[in-house]
Amino acid sequence: MSNVETIKVVPARYPLRTAGAVVALFVLAVVIQSVAFNPRWEWAVFARWFFDPVILEGVGQTLLLTLIGTALSVVIGGMLALARLSSSWLLSSLAWGYIWLFRSLPLIVVLIILYNFSYLYDTLSLGVPFTGITWGSYETINVLGQFSTAVVGLTLVQSAYTAEIIRGGFLGVDHGQYEAAAALGLPASRRTLRIILPQALRTILPAGFNEIISLAKGTAMVYVLAMPELFYTIQMIYNRTQEVIPLLMVGAVWYLVITTVLSAIQHLVERGLARSERRSAVNSTRATRSRSVTTQSTQEPVHASLS
């Protein structure tokens, strides 16, 4: 009768990790207690203003600026990225100059210059340069209002960052993919949209959503235009009521809500993209196996005659 030795498995212990977790929970409890039970935070004022129609209107303006700025910056940034990757030195140089300029200028400077654009130019004309031929002329003060100035300023600056993100995503794709697509005779637009872009999205999405979140917070800078978005609305209210801290907390929580929703959308998009990639990989593996089995079954036996 053989003796079987029993091995007792003891889980690894991490005393420093446990101590760190205890310290972190203690600090969190201190912060919660100091914020929740300090009457100077004036949580009753916070609750009164959080869903106020004026605040909700400011939130709507912030979301609208974020949506329009994101859509336009993706379109313009995509064209700038393609121009940077172009073999034409002129297109590449112009795109580089745009990106260099608007990545160097602070957003608040761009907004103030655009808001005072009518001082520099009375009218905006569309025509042939260095000639008297014009097809239309518009007064600048009628074209660039508060909302349009905010959209243009946010788009100009954000497009420069978006272009570099998209360019980095394209450069992250293996060059063999370009060569294989070109060898198949596919046109450049189809190569870019159907082969290169789906692979580049894995690199573009995390940094792209990070820029969208930064844009949502950056809309607070349009307060210099006296536009009633979230931050400017809160400023106007606490200047009148002198309830500074609770109203700033209203804005902070709304920005937290917006960024949390955007982060959740990012997680869902990345998970959906990963699921589609796994599905396509499984389908390609099955197709390869079925082709190999079919090839083996259709092969005829070869008989060699011996003489």
Side-chain angles (χ1 to χ4, degrees):
M1 186 174 182
S2 60
N3 295 327
V4 179
E5 183 179 358
T6 303
I7 300 176
K8 184 179 180 181
V9 179
V10 179
R13 294 180 175 84
Y14 303 95
L16 293 179
R17 182 186 300 177
T18 304
V22 171
V23 171
L25 289 175
F26 176 78
V27 172
L28 180 61
V30 170
V31 171
I32 292 175
Q33 190 240 351
S34 66
V35 172
F37 298 99
N38 187 346
R40 296 185 180 181
W41 286 95
E42 300 180 73
W43 292 112
V45 178
F46 170 89
R48 186 174 77 247
W49 284 105
F50 190 73
F51 290 108
D52 189 89
V54 178
I55 298 294
L56 295 179
E57 184 177 352
V59 173
Q61 289 288 327
T62 296
L63 292 175
L64 185 60
L65 285 173
T66 303
L67 178 62
I68 297 177
T70 299
L72 293 178
S73 64
V74 167
V75 174
I76 298 174
M79 292 189 294
L80 288 170
L82 293 177
R84 284 277 283 121
L85 296 171
S86 173
S87 56
S88 170
W89 66 269
L90 178 60
L91 287 178
S92 180
S93 299
L94 290 175
W96 179 88
Y98 178 98
I99 294 170
W100 166 77
L101 177 64
F102 285 102
R103 284 204 306 177
S104 304
L105 294 177
L107 175 59
I108 191 170
V109 173
V110 176
L111 291 173
I112 293 175
I113 291 175
L114 289 174
Y115 197 56
N116 293 278
F117 202 71
S118 59
Y119 169 75
L120 301 173
Y121 301 96
D122 296 330
T123 59
L124 294 176
S125 301
L126 181 63
V128 180
F130 306 107
T131 66
I133 302 175
T134 57
W135 298 299
S137 180
Y138 308 93
E139 292 187 2
T140 308
I141 196 171
N142 296 329
V143 176
L144 289 176
Q146 288 178 324
F147 186 79
S148 57
T149 299
V151 170
V152 172
L154 291 170
T155 302
L156 288 175
V157 175
Q158 191 63 35
S159 297
Y161 293 96
T162 304
E164 287 298 279
I165 291 173
I166 296 175
R167 186 176 72 92
F170 280 109
L171 291 177
V173 179
D174 186 76
H175 189 68
Q177 299 292 322
Y178 293 88
E179 296 176 348
L184 293 174
L186 297 176
S189 59
R190 191 174 180 83
R191 291 200 304 263
T192 302
L193 296 177
R194 299 298 300 272
I195 296 178
I196 307 303
L197 182 59
Q199 300 180 65
L201 280 177
R202 290 178 294 180
T203 306
I204 293 173
L205 278 178
F209 269 97
N210 187 53
E211 286 299 317
I212 295 174
I213 291 173
S214 298
L215 178 62
K217 296 183 294 183
T219 56
M221 299 300 295
V222 305
Y223 79 93
V224 298
L225 308 178
M227 182 181 168
E229 48 80 45
L230 178 58
F231 185 66
Y232 182 79
T233 302
I234 287 172
Q235 276 188 316
M236 292 299 99
I237 295 174
Y238 73 60
N239 285 336
R240 187 177 70 249
T241 64
Q242 299 302 311
E243 297 168 334
V244 179
I245 296 300
L247 283 164
L248 285 177
M249 289 301 298
V250 169
V253 172
W254 271 117
Y255 282 118
L256 282 172
V257 171
I258 293 172
T259 55
T260 301
V261 171
L262 290 174
S263 299
I265 295 174
Q266 175 187 354
H267 174 71
L268 293 176
V269 171
E270 289 180 349
R271 190 172 65 178
L273 183 63
R275 188 184 298 115
S276 64
E277 289 178 353
R278 288 195 299 268
R279 189 183 301 116
S280 62
V282 170
N283 291 337
S284 62
T285 303
R286 290 177 178 175
T288 303
R289 290 178 178 176
S290 63
R291 283 197 300 267
S292 63
V293 171
T294 304
T295 304
Q296 292 176 1
S297 61
T298 55
Q299 286 181 346
E300 296 181 358
V302 178
H303 300 279
S305 58
L306 300 176
S307 57

